[in-house]
């Protein structure tokens, strides 16, 4: 009796293991939910789908004329309060307001100058964001030779070109926000402030590749003649 | 008088006990082994509309996670990129690759690519990416080496005890903020001098000299950051995660 029990038992164990497998096996089947209580509540998480709307999106596109958060109505811009603060009116992270800070334009022309105080932290932020968002195409020094150019992306602009050196800051801002020809728009991903940080960093890159002795502080010039010690 | 209980029945109670013992253990072992996210979730690798290779984009091209998962530092939800993000490059690169068919269709139809969600915490749990990523918890700790995966799979159990294991000992997983999206980072990569200059010396090792060729350990880095940033993950307060 015990012998036949163990025989059946071992067969049963083998069957279970054969069907259920081991932990960590890769499978395309969705996870089994052993007690699925309240795991799926009738609400929509970000980026989820909904069968109710014809385009299948749970998140709705704002209706035309919606005023986004952080956006001040155009006429409010000319009110006295806004004028006291020349460039900056309560910035929304992704505001499309028509003032210089949010659009790079003054009226219909591109403005020049960074409308934010440029501090070392601001430059560091610009460097970080540039490396994340731009360097894959434009290259770490902005020479238009990022890694993707080796895989068939052509026509990437070179920031060291004279045309881009002399391009107003506002026009670069506009390129980041809306894209340009074959370059996509980065406005939906990069906040307004980060766009200015990136521009400040691009300006630093341009100077770094085109520096003259005059750019080196007086007290550090002597070092340039010293033989460089490489680690 | 007839023998009511034949001789073999003498052993019957014992045999039944042995059988119950074996069966009981087997069922316990089975439940322990199978009724856990370590079995149900780990290894989940759904068929995606586009077999998106993280290893090519991150390790080969050197892209940062935040190029695509652009709001992971500022939002609770880590977004999956929109079609435009792919088309920035794929309007020119690999233009005719059949694997990218779904992306091109989505670009034309303006309907999103239906990526299949892999990691999913139950709806009664509050989870926030930015709270972790900005405190030096790397994607690596929770998603494993995505940068070497040809197709993403569920690599960690994401059970409650797994969350708590880290919340009780966060020092095993903290790293400097700049290294959070560098999934190949090792504690020994950190320059001991610059690290201690920026964050101070590890608590309890104030006397130690870090100026030479010293290699920092994960615990030294983790403890320093934990002390420096006053990291206190919720571990007994149920309301922190079940709000």
């Amino acid at each position: 009796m015990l012998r036949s029990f163990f025989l059946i038992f071992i067969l049963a164990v083998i069957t279970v293991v054969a069907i259920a497998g081991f932990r960590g096996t890769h499978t395309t089947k969705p996870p089994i939910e052993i007690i699925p209580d309240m795991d799926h509540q009738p609400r929509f998480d970000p980026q989820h789908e909904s069968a109710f709307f014809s385009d299948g999106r749970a998140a709705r596109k704002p209706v035309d004329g919606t005023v986004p958060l952080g956006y001040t109505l155009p006429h409010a811009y000319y009110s006295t309060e806004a004028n006291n603060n020349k460039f900056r009116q309560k910035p929304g992270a992704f505001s499309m307001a028509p003032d210089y800070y949010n659009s790079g334009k003054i009226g219909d022309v591109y403005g020049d100058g960074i409308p934010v105080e440029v501090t070392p932290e601001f430059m560091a932020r610009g460097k970080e964001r540039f490396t994340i968002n731009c360097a894959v195409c434009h290259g770490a020094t902005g020479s238009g030779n990022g890694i993707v150019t080796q895989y068939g992306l052509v026509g990437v602009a070179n920031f060291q070109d004279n045309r881009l050196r002399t391009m107003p800051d506002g026009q670069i801002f506009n390129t980041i926000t809306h894209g340009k020809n074959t370059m996509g728009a980065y406005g939906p991903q990069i906040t307004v402030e980060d766009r200015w940080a990136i521009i400040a960093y691009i300006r630093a890159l341009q100077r770094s590749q085109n520096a003259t002795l005059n750019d080196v502080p007086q007290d550090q010039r002597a070092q340039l003649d010293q033989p460089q010690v490489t680690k | 008088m007839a023998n009511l209980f034949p001789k073999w029945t003498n052993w019957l109670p014992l045999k039944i006990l042995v059988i119950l013992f074996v069966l009981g253990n087997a069922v316990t072992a089975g439940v322990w082994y199978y009724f856990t996210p370590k079995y149900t979730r780990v290894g989940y690798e759904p068929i995606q509309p586009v077999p998106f290779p993280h290893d090519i984009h991150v390790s080969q091209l050197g892209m940062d996670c935040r190029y695509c998962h652009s709001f992971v530092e500022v939002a609770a939800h880590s977004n999956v990129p929109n079609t435009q993000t792919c088309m920035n490059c794929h309007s020119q690169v690999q233009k005719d690759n059949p694997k990218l068919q779904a992306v091109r269709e989505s670009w034309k139809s303006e309907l999103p690519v239906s990526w299949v969600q892999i990691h999913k915490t139950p709806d009664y749990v509050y989870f926030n990416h930015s709270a972790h990523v900005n405190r030096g918890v790397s994607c690596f700790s929770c998603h494993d080496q995505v940068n070497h995966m040809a197709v993403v799979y569920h690599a960690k159990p994401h059970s409650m005890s797994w969350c708590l294991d880290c919340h009780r000992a966060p020092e095993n997983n903290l790293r400097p903020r700049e290294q959070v999206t560098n999934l190949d980072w090792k504690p020994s990569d950190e320059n001991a001098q610059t690290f201690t200059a920026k964050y101070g010396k590890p608590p309890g090792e104030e006397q130690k000299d870090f100026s030479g060729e010293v290699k920092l350990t994960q615990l030294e880095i983790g403890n320093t950051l934990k002390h420096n940033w006053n990291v206190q993950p919720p571990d007994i307060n149920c309301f922190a995660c079940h709000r």
Side-chain angles (χ1 to χ4, degrees), chain A residues 20-21 27 39 41 47 151 186, chain B residues 34 39 45 60 67 80 123:
Chain A
T27 164
D39 280 16
Q41 296 168 10
Q47 295 193 311
Y151 293 89
Y186 284 77
Chain B
Y34 287 124
Y39 167 74
E45 188 187 72
Q60 191 180 323
Y67 182 93
V80 170
D123 280 352

Side-chain angles (χ1 to χ4, degrees), chain B residues 62-219:
Chain B
M63 292 176 74
D64 193 289
C65 313
R66 291 166 289 180
Y67 182 93
C68 293
H69 304 293
S70 40
F71 300 115
V72 66
E73 289 169 306
V74 287
H77 170 73
S78 167
N79 60 308
V80 170
N82 56 10
T83 304
Q84 144 118 51
T85 308
C86 311
M87 288 311 270
N88 284 340
C89 293
H90 287 293
S91 56
Q92 290 189 47
V93 181
Q94 307 256 327
K95 220 166 35 182
D96 304 310
N97 191 331
K99 288 184 185 167
L100 281 152
Q101 188 57 29
V103 172
R104 288 190 294 268
E105 266 163 27
S106 148
W107 184 239
K108 260 194 233 117
S109 66
E110 302 199 350
L111 293 176
V113 180
S114 351
W115 302 108
V116 183
Q117 188 176 12
I118 305 162
H119 301 82
K120 169 103 185 71
T121 36
D123 280 352
Y124 54 79
V125 178
Y126 169 79
F127 178 78
N128 189 328
H129 270 95
S130 65
H132 291 89
V133 174
N134 289 325
R135 287 300 197 140
V137 183
S138 169
C139 322
F140 169 77
S141 304
C142 303
H143 298 298
D144 217 355
Q145 296 227 292
V146 177
N147 57 341
H148 296 307
M149 293 182 191
V151 177
V152 190
Y153 56 87
H154 211 307
K156 301 277 166 105
H158 284 204
S159 59
M160 177 163 147
S161 73
W162 172 82
C163 305
L164 291 179
D165 281 346
C166 176
H167 279 200
R168 294 193 176 124
E171 56 275 11
N172 295 326
N173 288 287
L174 299 184
R175 55 175 75 175
R177 263 212 59 189
E178 314 82 75
Q179 305 295 346
V180 161
T181 52
N182 174 4
L183 273 54
D184 283 328
W185 178 87
K186 287 188 297 303
S188 53
D189 296 346
E190 204 59 34
N191 181 324
Q193 264 163 291
T194 26
F195 181 84
T196 46
K198 188 162 173 198
Y199 300 104
K201 291 186 177 179
E205 296 184 40
E206 283 80 3
Q207 310 307 325
K208 196 169 158 186
D209 177 26
F210 285 97
S211 55
E213 291 281 298
V214 199
K215 291 269 175 261
L216 292 167
T217 62
Q218 173 60 47
L219 270 186

Side-chain angles (χ1 to χ4, degrees), chain A residues 9-231:
Chain A
F9 174 76
I10 288 174
L11 283 178
V13 169
I14 292 176
T15 326
V16 168
V17 173
I19 294 174
F22 296 106
R23 281 181 185 176
T25 334
H26 288 214
T27 164
T28 53
K29 288 204 257 354
I32 314 153
E33 279 160 350
I34 292 158
I35 309 172
D37 40 13
M38 294 177 82
D39 280 16
H40 305 276
Q41 296 168 10
R43 65 159 205 240
F44 293 113
D45 290 339
Q47 295 193 311
H48 275 237
E49 54 188 4
S50 150
F52 184 76
F53 297 106
S54 58
D55 66 356
R57 289 189 181 101
R60 307 312 304 152
K61 274 190 185 164
V63 290
D64 289 343
T66 307
V67 179
L69 222 70
Y71 181 101
T72 332
L73 286 173
H75 84 262
Y77 173 58
Y78 301 104
S79 74
T80 43
E81 188 208 8
N83 271 342
N84 291 341
N85 193 347
K86 208 165 160 203
F87 290 121
R88 203 169 182 179
Q89 45 168 317
K90 301 187 196 88
F94 293 95
S95 171
M96 298 288 263
D99 61 325
Y100 180 58
Y101 177 72
N102 289 306
S103 73
K105 288 183 188 168
I106 301 171
D108 280 338
V109 293
Y110 292 118
D112 204 6
I114 310 271
V116 187
E117 195 195 343
V118 180
T119 58
E121 293 79 47
F122 190 69
M123 289 299 278
R125 176 81 184 168
K127 179 177 182 195
E128 188 191 57
R129 296 293 122 178
F130 179 88
T131 315
I132 294 171
N133 291 296
C134 320
V136 271
C137 296
H138 288 282
T141 54
S143 325
N145 59 354
I147 181 145
V148 191
T149 55
Q150 297 167 18
Y151 293 89
L153 189 75
V154 291
V156 180
N158 180 349
F159 293 149
Q160 308 299 345
D161 273 357
N162 216 23
R163 187 176 66 89
L164 276 113
R165 278 177 196 285
T166 49
M167 182 180 278
D169 292 336
Q171 193 174 350
I172 300 185
F173 183 92
N174 191 60
T175 304
I176 304 179
T177 315
H178 300 292
K180 172 91 191 280
N181 301 337
T182 44
M183 174 175 150
Y186 284 77
Q189 263 114 298
I190 306 177
T191 63
V192 171
E193 183 153 15
D194 285 346
R195 285 173 232 165
W196 289 115
I198 289 174
I199 295 168
Y201 183 67
I202 291 176
R203 292 302 184 210
L205 281 180
Q206 290 175 336
R207 276 185 82 164
S208 76
Q209 298 295 306
N210 217 9
T212 61
L213 197 58
N214 290 337
D215 291 326
V216 184
Q218 205 83 43
D219 53 339
Q220 286 172 21
R221 284 191 194 164
Q223 277 183 20
L224 290 179
D225 299 330
Q226 308 277 318
Q228 292 293 309
V229 189
T230 41
K231 254 212 249 171

